[in-house]
C-alpha cells in the first residue's frame, strides 16, 4: 500500500540505489524519466492517495447527496436554493452552433430558486421577482429585461449554474436537502454548483468550499463537539489527511468527495460548532505524515483499549490467514504498554473480563453484551450466511447458498484473532454442516444482534449455555469497541486529552511513527542545457487540475527563466515547541524559501543528499498562522521533497 521513501532514493523498477549510478547516468535519468524521479521522491501512493503528498488544496468540491449513508445517492430530481442574504446566480449556456454565453441574475434574499432537468439536456431554472444584472443578462426568450422588471423568471440553459451569496462570506441554503441540522434547511459556505447528471432527468449539486471551511463542517459531524479541544484537534488533522489523500475519489461524479459516510460526513455551515471550529483553526494547514507522505488517517469510534493492524481488517485472505500490505503507521497498539498482543483466546478473554486501563473507557461501547436463544441465532445465521456468501467469495467457506440452513446450531468458535483480540475467522457448526466466516466485518454481520444490522465490533468472546439435555440453549457475546478499530479511536483520543495529552501526542499514539507536519512539497529543477543563461526550468509539483475544468490546488508552475518566486506558499498554525525544516534532497545545492517574510537559504553546508533537518523555530510565531513561500531551485537539475515537522525528537548530534 503506502511505501516508505528511503534515503538513497531507490527508483521503483530499477535495481539498486540511484545514488550508485554515475553522474552522467543520473543526468540522463532526469532528462528521460522525470516522472520516475517524482515517483521515487514521493513514494508509491496507496489506494486513493495519488497526488496527495504536496500542497494544501485551497478549494475542494463536495457532492451533496440524498443520503448520508455509506452508499451515497448523488442524483437529485430537483434542487432548491435560497440565499438568506440573496443569491448571485451565474449560468452557462452553450446553444448548438453558438459560442457559450454567461447568464447572470441577482436573486433577492429569501427568494427560492428551483432547478430541474429539462428536455434535450437542458437545465431549467425558475424563481420570482429577481432583476437581472447588467447588459450581459438574458432570459429564456433572449430579451434583456431592465433592472425593475419583476416578472416571473424562467431560464433554459445547458448549464452548469453557479450560486454565491450576494454578501461576501455569506451563506446559501438548500431547502431541498434533508439534513440533521438546526433550522429549517442546511446552510453552506462557498458556492453551490448545479449541473446535469449523467442520468437522464437528474441533477448533481456540488459545494465548492475552502478546505478549512469544509473541515469545520466535518469535525463536529464525525466527533462530538463536546469532546476535549485536543481530541477535536486530532480529529481535525485526521480529517484533513483524509480529504487531501482522497481528492478525486468522486471524480466520476464531478467532485472530489461526497458529504456522506462514504467519505466523511459533512453538514456544511449548519453543522459547525465553536469548539470544533477552534480545533480546525488551531491546526490549520497541518497533517500527519509518515516519511514525508500524508498518512491514510483512518479512525473509528471506540477501539476498546487496543487498536488493530490494517491488514487484519482490510486485507484479502491467503492460505495462512489475512494477507495484504502492512502499513507501518497502522499497527495495533494497546493503551496500556504492559498489555501483550491478544491474538489467542486466553489473553483475549482475560482482557475483556478485566478493567485494564483504557483511554476509551468513557465510551458507551467500551464493554457490551448481546444474547440470543439458539433458535434466534439459527434464523439470523441462515439469512446472514447466505447474504455474505453471495456478496464475497472469501466470506464463507464452503459457500452458503440461499436455500441452505445450518440446521440445529451446535457450536461457535473463534479460530483466529488479530493483535487486538478481534475475531478474524469464526467457525459455525450445525447439524447440516460446518462453515468458516472470514473477515471482521463479515463476522459482525453474521452475528448481528436481533435489533441491529451488525455487531458493534469483532472484539468479543463467546459464551455458550446448554440446557439439561446438553443442547445449546443460549449464546452470549461479551465484547468491546465500536467500528473497525484501526487507527485513531475517537473516544480514546478524548480520554487521552482528558489525561493531559496534546493532539500531536494523540496522533503519534494511534499512528505509529507518524509526525505532524505541513503537507510535503516536491520541488524539481531540470533541463540541460539551460533554456537561457538566466536560469533553468523549474517546477513545483502539485495535484492536477480540479474537476469541472477548474484548478482547485495551488497552481503547477513552470518558470522558464527561473523567476524570483513560484508564487507557491503554505499557511500553517504553529502551536509552539519544536519545528524542523525537513529536506529529502536529490542533488540540489540549495533550497530557498521565505518564512513569515524572512528569507532562508539552506546551502551546501547543511544540505546533503538524503534527509537534512534545520531548526526554524526562530523564524516562526507561536500560537499563530505562519507562512512559508517557496522559491525555485536555482540550478538546471535536481529535486527535493520539503516539509515542516513539528515537535519531533531532536535529531542525532552532529549534522542538522
Amino acid at each position: 500500500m503506502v511505501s516508505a521513501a528511503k534515503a538513497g532514493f531507490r527508483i521503483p523498477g530499477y535495481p539498486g540505489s540511484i545514488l550508485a549510478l554515475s553522474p552522467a547516468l543520473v543526468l540522463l535519468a532526469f532528462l528521460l524519466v522525470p516522472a520516475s524521479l517524482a515517483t521515487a521522491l514521493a513514494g508509491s501512493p496507496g489506494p486513493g492517495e495519488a497526488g496527495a503528498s504536496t500542497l494544501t488544496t485551497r478549494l475542494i468540491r463536495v457532492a451533496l447527496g440524498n443520503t448520508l449513508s455509506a452508499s451515497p445517492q448523488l442524483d437529485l430530481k430537483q434542487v432548491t436554493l435560497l440565499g438568506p442574504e440573496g443569491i448571485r446566480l451565474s449560468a452557462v449556456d452553450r446553444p448548438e452552433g453558438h459560442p457559450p454565453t454567461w447568464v447572470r441574475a441577482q436573486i433577492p434574499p429569501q427568494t427560492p430558486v428551483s432547478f430541474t432537468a429539462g428536455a434535450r439536456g437542458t437545465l431549467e431554472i425558475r424563481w420570482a421577482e429577481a432583476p437581472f444584472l447588467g447588459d450581459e443578462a438574458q432570459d429564456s426568450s433572449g430579451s434583456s429585461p431592465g433592472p425593475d422588471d419583476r416578472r416571473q423568471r424562467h431560464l433554459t440553459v445547458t448549464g452548469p449554474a453557479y450560486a454565491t451569496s450576494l454578501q461576501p462570506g455569506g451563506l446559501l441554503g438548500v431547502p431541498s436537502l434533508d439534513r440533521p441540522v438546526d433550522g429549517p434547511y442546511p446552510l453552506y459556505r462557498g458556492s453551490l454548483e448545479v449541473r446535469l447528471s449523467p442520468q437522464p432527468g437528474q441533477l448533481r449539486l456540488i459545494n465548492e468550499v475552502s478546505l478549512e471551511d469544509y473541515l469545520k463542517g466535518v469535525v463536529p459531524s464525525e466527533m462530538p463537539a463536546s469532546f476535549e479541544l485536543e481530541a477535536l484537534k486530532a480529529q481535525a488533522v485526521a480529517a484533513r489527511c483524509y480529504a487531501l489523500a482522497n481528492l478525486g475519489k468522486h471524480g466520476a461524479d464531478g467532485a472530489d468527495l461526497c458529504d456522506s459516510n462514504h467519505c466523511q460526513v459533512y453538514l456544511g455551515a449548519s453543522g459547525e460548532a465553536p469548539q470544533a471550529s477552534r480545533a480546525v483553526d488551531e491546526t490549520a494547514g497541518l497533517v500527519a505524515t509518515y516519511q514525508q507522505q500524508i498518512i491514510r488517517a483512518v479512525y473509528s469510534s471506540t477501539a476498546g483499549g487496543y487498536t488493530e493492524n490494517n491488514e487484519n481488517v482490510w486485507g484479502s485472505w491467503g492460505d495462512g490467514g489475512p494477507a495484504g500490505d502492512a502499513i507501518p503507521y497502522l499497527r495495533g497498539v494497546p493503551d496500556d504498554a504492559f498489555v501483550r498482543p491478544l491474538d489467542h483466546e486466553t489473553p483475549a478473554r482475560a482482557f475483556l473480563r478485566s478493567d485494564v486501563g483504557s483511554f476509551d473507557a468513557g465510551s458507551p461501547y467500551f464493554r457490551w453484551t448481546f444474547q440470543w436463544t439458539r433458535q434466534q441465532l439459527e434464523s439470523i445465521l441462515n439469512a446472514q450466511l447466505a447474504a455474505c456468501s453471495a456478496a464475497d467469495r472469501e466470506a464463507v467457506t464452503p459457500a452458503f447458498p440461499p436455500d441452505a440452513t445450518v440446521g440445529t446450531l451446535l457450536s461457535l468458535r473463534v479460530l483466529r484473532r488479530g493483535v487486538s483480540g478481534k475475531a478474524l475467522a469464526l467457525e459455525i457448526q450445525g447439524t447440516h454442516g460446518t462453515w468458516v466466516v472470514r473477515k471482521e466485518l463479515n463476522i459482525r454481520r453474521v452475528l448481528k444482534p436481533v435489533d441491529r444490522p451488525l455487531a458493534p465490533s469483532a472484539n468479543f468472546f463467546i459464551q455458550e449455555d446448554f440446557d439439561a439435555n446438553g443442547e445449546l440453549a443460549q449464546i452470549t457475546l461479551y465484547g468491546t469497541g465500536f467500528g473497525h478499530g484501526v487507527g485513531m479511536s475517537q473516544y480514546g483520543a478524548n480520554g487521552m486529552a482528558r489525561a493531559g495529552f496534546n493532539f500531536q501526542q494523540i496522533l503519534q499514539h494511534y499512528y505509529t511513527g507518524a509526525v505532524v507536519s505541513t503537507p510535503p512539497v516536491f520541488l524539481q529543477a531540470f533541463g540541460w542545457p539551460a533554456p537561457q543563461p538566466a536560469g533553468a526550468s523549474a517546477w513545483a509539483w502539485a495535484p492536477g487540475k480540479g474537476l469541472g475544468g477548474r484548478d482547485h490546488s495551488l497552481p503547477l508552475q513552470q518558470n522558464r527563466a527561473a523567476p524570483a518566486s513560484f508564487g507557491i506558499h503554505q499557511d500553517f498554525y504553529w502551536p509552539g515547541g519544536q519545528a524542523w525544516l525537513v529536506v529529502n534532497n536529490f542533488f540540489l545545492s540549495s533550497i530557498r524559501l521565505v518564512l513569515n517574510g524572512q528569507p532562508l537559504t539552506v546551502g551546501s553546508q547543511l544540505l546533503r543528499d538524503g534527509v537534512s533537518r534545520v531548526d526554524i523555530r526562530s523564524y516562526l510565531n507561536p500560537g499563530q498562522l505562519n507562512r512559508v513561500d517557496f522559491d525555485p531551485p536555482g540550478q538546471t537539475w535536481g529535486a527535493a521533497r520539503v516539509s515542516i515537522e513539528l515537535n519531533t525528537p531532536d535529531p542525532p548530534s552532529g549534522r542538522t
Side-chain angles (χ1 to χ4, degrees):
M1 298 184 79
V2 179
S3 65
K6 300 185 173 90
F9 304 107
R10 204 173 287 272
I11 292 183
Y14 290 81
S17 169
I18 192 169
L19 294 182
L21 301 177
S22 70
L25 289 177
V26 171
L27 177 58
L28 183 62
F30 257 109
L31 296 176
L32 297 181
V33 288
S36 296
L37 173 64
T39 300
L41 283 171
S44 301
E49 297 184 65
S53 59
T54 56
L55 302 174
T56 302
T57 302
R58 292 193 174 177
L59 292 177
I60 64 173
R61 293 165 59 82
V62 187
L64 309 180
N66 267 322
T67 69
L68 297 177
S69 70
S71 301
Q73 299 173 14
L74 301 180
D75 288 321
L76 307 172
K77 189 71 175 178
Q78 182 263 347
V79 170
T80 301
L81 305 184
L82 187 148
E85 299 164 315
I87 294 176
R88 180 171 285 106
L89 181 67
S90 303
V92 180
D93 195 20
R94 296 180 175 86
E96 188 173 351
H98 297 276
T101 59
W102 281 96
V103 183
R104 296 183 174 89
Q106 179 172 297
I107 315 297
Q110 303 300 332
T111 301
V113 184
S114 66
F115 301 79
T116 55
R120 301 178 182 177
T122 58
L123 183 64
E124 304 290 333
I125 310 173
R126 291 178 172 84
W127 68 96
E129 295 189 356
F132 282 93
L133 293 179
D135 297 333
E136 297 178 273
Q138 62 182 29
D139 62 16
S140 56
S141 66
S143 64
S144 299
D148 295 327
D149 191 339
R150 299 287 180 175
R151 297 173 301 170
Q152 172 77 21
R153 299 293 179 229
H154 174 203
L155 286 178
T156 299
V157 295
T158 55
Y162 305 91
T164 57
S165 174
L166 283 176
Q167 296 297 322
L171 304 177
L172 295 172
V174 189
S176 55
L177 286 182
D178 183 17
R179 292 291 184 268
V181 297
D182 294 334
Y185 47 79
L187 295 165
Y188 294 90
R189 300 188 185 279
S191 64
L192 292 169
E193 174 187 316
V194 183
R195 59 169 55 218
L196 295 172
S197 166
Q199 300 299 319
Q202 303 292 314
L203 304 174
R204 292 282 171 83
L205 177 61
I206 297 167
N207 181 205
E208 189 171 272
V209 64
S210 74
L211 174 63
E212 299 303 309
D213 282 344
Y214 163 75
L215 293 173
K216 290 177 181 179
V218 166
V219 171
S221 303
E222 292 284 352
M223 173 179 277
S226 59
F227 275 19
E228 298 291 323
L229 178 61
E230 294 301 313
L232 290 164
K233 289 181 183 180
Q235 180 68 51
V237 174
R240 190 178 289 109
C241 289
Y242 182 93
L244 290 175
N246 287 277
L247 291 178
K249 184 176 180 179
H250 280 275
D253 301 310
D256 291 310
L257 303 166
C258 73
D259 65 343
S260 75
N261 281 319
H262 182 253
C263 294
Q264 297 183 111
V265 175
Y266 166 64
L267 298 179
S270 299
E272 295 176 7
Q275 184 87 329
S277 294
R278 178 183 171 187
V280 173
D281 289 339
E282 294 185 8
T283 61
L286 298 179
V287 294
T289 58
Y290 180 83
Q291 296 191 358
Q292 285 192 307
Q293 294 183 75
I294 295 177
I295 69 169
R296 184 182 176 189
V298 295
Y299 51 86
S300 63
S301 166
T302 308
Y306 206 133
T307 62
E308 187 54 74
N309 293 342
N310 70 284
E311 69 275 13
N312 287 341
V313 173
W314 295 304
S316 59
W317 197 272
D319 293 338
D325 292 336
I327 298 178
Y329 53 80
L330 294 181
R331 301 294 84 202
V333 293
D335 288 346
D336 188 328
F338 293 100
V339 174
R340 303 273 65 85
L342 308 175
D343 50 0
H344 290 88
E345 192 69 17
T346 299
R349 283 177 176 263
F351 180 79
L352 288 171
R353 285 191 173 113
S354 72
D355 291 324
V356 172
S358 173
F359 292 127
D360 51 14
S363 168
Y365 288 96
F366 179 60
R367 295 289 187 264
W368 46 259
T369 303
F370 289 103
Q371 286 184 336
W372 306 265
T373 65
R374 191 200 74 223
Q375 293 82 359
Q376 283 177 324
L377 190 53
E378 285 170 353
S379 177
I380 290 171
L381 291 174
N382 290 335
Q384 296 299 99
L385 285 170
C388 287
S389 187
D392 182 356
R393 291 183 303 173
E394 293 183 334
V396 183
T397 305
F400 197 93
D403 58 348
T405 67
V406 297
T408 300
L409 181 61
L410 301 177
S411 70
L412 297 168
R413 184 164 65 101
V414 175
L415 299 180
R416 181 183 289 271
R417 293 185 181 274
V419 294
S420 68
K422 192 177 301 294
L424 306 179
L426 175 72
E427 180 186 80
I428 300 170
Q429 184 179 2
T431 55
H432 291 175
T434 300
W435 294 267
V436 175
V437 183
R438 297 183 175 92
K439 299 183 181 179
E440 65 90 30
L441 185 57
N442 292 325
I443 293 171
R444 292 168 63 191
R445 287 170 173 160
V446 166
L447 294 181
K448 68 178 289 301
V450 173
D451 58 348
R452 293 168 177 257
L454 72 170
S457 82
N459 289 79
F460 58 77
F461 72 86
I462 303 166
Q463 178 176 303
E464 298 174 327
D465 295 313
F466 297 85
D467 61 19
N469 298 321
E471 293 184 349
L472 185 60
Q474 182 173 274
I475 301 93
T476 306
L477 285 192
Y478 294 93
T480 186
F482 186 90
H484 53 69
V486 179
M488 185 175 70
S489 167
Q490 293 172 305
Y491 271 92
N494 196 47
M496 290 188 70
R498 287 180 173 176
F501 294 94
N502 63 39
F503 77 96
Q504 293 143 299
Q505 293 167 321
I506 293 170
L507 293 166
Q508 289 172 335
H509 171 69
Y510 287 112
Y511 303 111
T512 306
V515 297
V516 174
S517 77
T518 58
V521 176
F522 180 60
L523 300 177
Q524 179 175 343
F526 62 89
W528 186 269
Q532 51 183 277
S537 302
W539 293 76
W541 184 87
K545 286 272 186 180
L547 300 158
R550 300 182 180 188
D551 192 348
H552 299 287
S553 63
L554 292 172
L556 180 70
Q557 300 282 343
Q558 183 181 19
N559 301 276
R560 289 297 178 187
S565 174
F566 281 116
I568 294 176
H569 76 273
Q570 290 176 312
D571 295 317
F572 65 96
Y573 187 93
W574 183 46
Q578 298 176 345
W580 302 95
L581 178 71
V582 180
V583 181
N584 202 349
N585 186 41
F586 188 81
F587 292 158
L588 287 181
S589 59
S590 66
I591 297 289
R592 300 196 305 270
L593 60 154
V594 179
L595 287 162
N596 294 323
Q598 302 179 69
L600 171 64
T601 298
V602 182
S604 57
Q605 73 277 13
L606 293 176
L607 200 62
R608 59 182 177 182
D609 292 326
V611 178
S612 301
R613 300 162 65 86
V614 180
D615 187 347
I616 58 171
R617 285 174 291 181
S618 62
Y619 290 82
L620 302 181
N621 301 314
Q624 298 181 31
L625 273 180
N626 292 261
R627 173 168 172 151
V628 55
D629 293 84
F630 298 96
D631 281 347
Q635 58 190 75
T636 57
W637 57 282
R641 190 169 60 239
V642 185
S643 60
I644 296 172
E645 292 184 359
L646 310 184
N647 287 11
T648 53
D650 288 337
S653 59
R655 206 166 191 174
T656 59

